[in-house]
Amino acid sequence: MHLLRRFVLCTSVLLLSSCMTKGPNPNDPYERINRNTYKFNQFFDSLLLKPAAQIYKAVLPAPIRTAINNGYDNVNMIPTTANDVLQGDLKHAVKDFWRLFINTTLGVGGLLDVAANRCGLPPRSNDLGLTFAKWGDRNSPYIVIPFLGPSTIRDGMAQMFEYAVLTPYPLIPTNATIYVVLGVRYVDLRSQLLETDRLMQEALDRYAFMRDAYLQHRNYRIQGMLGQNETVATSNSEIGSDYITETAITEAATQKK
């Protein structure tokens, strides 16, 4: 619970401080503080996160990494199913519940994706940020959260409440265990994005590139939820929290050429 209180406090302070000084960009009115936070995150990534991800990918065989990712994706089906219900999407709520049930029971706690391979239930992700957008908050200012990366005020607040209410992580009894569990997840996600580093290096303005990729990806998800395009929310789409998907970065790079 101490970790939860720190997370809530830090996120709240950041979101409130972002409201102090506005810049000229309507999508990024807090660009000055966002760029400074982005520089800090890049320093943290180059110093610790990226090397850890490289070692993680080099040491662990691909099947083990896939099983680890499956396990975390299975946990993510809990808030996904809850947000399906909150959005009134009962069709996906039923499918996602059965995916969670099948993989938790027959898939050894979700390490094996039996639901997708045997039952035709592909991975999906839904989050509270999309729920807030469904309820009307569709245009939210962009912010960069320390350690977590690109977000919006809507998605940052949603992530805070989703972590506290809709995920099992706060139920873990010790802070040390929580740090390990969440740390492995972030390293696993970062390892999946190592191949996109080249695209980031080619960007003239890496901050603007990441911002545009994130906002484009989230807007696409929101439009898909509202039925304005055809979209499939795959497992790594949960990265309204920490990273955006490799697909989103690639699509943004293609559009900028």
Side-chain angles (χ1 to χ4, degrees), residues 217-237:
H217 174 65
R218 291 300 284 178
N219 288 335
Y220 184 78
R221 292 291 311 277
I222 291 170
Q223 291 170 7
M225 175 190 61
L226 298 175
Q228 297 175 10
N229 61 30
E230 295 294 327
T231 182
V232 177
T234 57
S235 59
N236 286 340
S237 296

Side-chain angles (χ1 to χ4, degrees), residues 95-163:
K95 289 183 177 181
D96 291 339
F97 170 79
W98 279 112
R99 175 178 168 79
L100 172 64
F101 178 79
I102 291 170
N103 280 350
T104 301
T105 55
L106 303 181
V108 195
L111 298 181
L112 303 176
D113 196 352
V114 179
N117 297 330
R118 302 282 182 171
C119 305
L121 295 172
R124 268 189 90 253
S125 181
N126 203 348
D127 60 71
L128 197 57
L130 295 176
T131 298
F132 288 166
K134 178 71 176 286
W135 292 351
D137 186 9
R138 295 171 192 171
N139 297 307
S140 183
Y142 178 76
I143 60 172
V144 180
I145 301 177
F147 301 109
L148 301 183
S151 187
T152 62
I153 291 180
R154 176 199 63 230
D155 292 341
M157 293 296 294
Q159 182 183 357
M160 178 175 64
F161 287 114
E162 183 170 280
Y163 172 85

Side-chain angles (χ1 to χ4, degrees), residues 31 38-39 61-62 111 154 168 173-174 184 197 206 218 233 236 252:
E31 183 171 349
Y38 173 78
K39 291 178 182 177
L111 298 181
R154 176 199 63 230
T174 64
V184 171
D197 286 350
R206 298 175 192 174
R218 291 300 284 178
N236 286 340

Side-chain angles (χ1 to χ4, degrees), residues 57-73:
K57 189 172 183 177
V59 171
L60 294 182
I64 300 298
R65 298 198 309 271
T66 298
I68 292 173
N69 185 66
N70 287 344
Y72 283 105
D73 282 350

Side-chain angles (χ1 to χ4, degrees), residues 12-21 30 33:
S12 300
V13 169
L14 175 72
L15 295 176
L16 289 174
S17 65
S18 296
C19 298
M20 293 180 182
T21 305
Y30 316 115
I33 188 173

